[in-house]
Amino acid sequence: TWNQQEDYLIQSDLYRLNSVAAPLRNSLELSIRYDSLQYLPEQTAVYKLNGNGSVSYQSGKVDTLNNYITAKISSLADYIILADTTVPHLEIVKPQNGQQLNSLDKIIFETKDHLSGIGSEKNFSITVDSLFVVPEWDPEEDRITGRPHWKFEPGQHNVEISVYARAGNTIEKNL
């Protein structure tokens, strides 16, 4: 049995495809039926239950007409539909708000989404004075670094950072 360790927003029954997780040679699509969605479709996905009680985001193509969510899976294991309504954590490391700088060589922030996850560098946005800064993501450290590619004129500048979780939950901070 699954011991729910967190306050997950459960949207379906638990589906056990095998008594022991077994990898598949090729991925397959798993469709799970739900009675009704209590949350936005983009916040709802299929999750795999891991042996340690945690869950892993699989994906979630929602068919609201037929009440199914379909995900590609790579192992026979336990699966469930969960909703993720929590915005990612975002902590700006450098620069600090209101900090006076002679130059800005890099912008550093840390972020984590505890359920659906971030997914890729495409889910970050860094701008300085509305100019895009390329984010470099270190997923093992949950750290993103952006290096502006131009020199700054003296004065105030606006730094905007946005993080989008796979479930569509977004957090934005301005400096």
Side-chain angles (χ1 to χ4, degrees):
T1 60
W2 177 44
N3 292 327
Q4 198 173 326
Q5 295 183 356
E6 302 206 17
D7 293 326
Y8 294 125
L9 302 173
I10 298 172
Q11 303 298 297
S12 74
D13 292 329
L14 173 68
Y15 291 90
R16 175 159 285 153
L17 303 183
N18 201 17
S19 59
V20 177
L24 297 168
R25 183 177 193 155
N26 297 312
S27 64
L28 60 88
E29 285 191 345
L30 170 68
S31 294
I32 299 177
R33 185 167 170 68
Y34 60 86
D35 291 328
S36 66
L37 285 182
Q38 300 171 14
Y39 301 93
L40 295 172
E42 57 269 15
Q43 293 176 319
T44 310
V46 175
Y47 290 81
K48 178 177 128 180
L49 277 59
N50 301 315
N52 61 3
S54 66
V55 295
S56 298
Y57 176 88
Q58 300 302 295
S59 67
K61 182 179 172 188
V62 179
D63 178 350
T64 56
L65 186 62
N66 297 304
N67 291 6
Y68 281 98
I69 297 182
T70 302
K72 284 193 174 188
I73 62 170
S74 59
S75 66
L76 298 177
D78 296 345
Y79 294 91
I80 194 166
I81 298 173
L82 300 175
D84 180 359
T85 60
T86 305
V87 298
H89 167 77
L90 172 59
E91 180 182 342
I92 299 172
V93 177
K94 180 181 179 180
Q96 295 296 316
N97 196 12
Q99 183 179 6
Q100 291 189 359
L101 304 167
N102 293 330
S103 67
L104 181 59
D105 61 334
K106 59 185 161 184
I107 299 161
I108 302 171
F109 61 98
E110 296 175 345
T111 187
K112 185 155 186 80
D113 185 86
H114 295 288
L115 193 53
S116 65
I118 304 299
S120 77
E121 288 178 342
K122 295 177 185 175
N123 292 10
F124 305 110
S125 174
I126 306 170
T127 61
V128 177
D129 299 332
S130 300
L131 298 172
F132 181 73
V133 176
V134 176
E136 300 170 18
W137 182 31
D138 180 348
E140 293 175 1
E141 297 293 325
D142 299 318
R143 185 173 275 233
I144 295 84
T145 303
R147 291 177 172 74
H149 56 279
W150 64 90
K151 295 247 183 220
F152 289 90
E153 297 294 323
Q156 285 196 331
H157 299 279
N158 184 35
V159 177
E160 296 178 22
I161 299 171
S162 301
V163 178
Y164 313 92
R166 286 189 255 198
N169 304 315
T170 302
I171 186 167
E172 298 177 355
K173 288 193 177 180
N174 297 321
L175 297 175

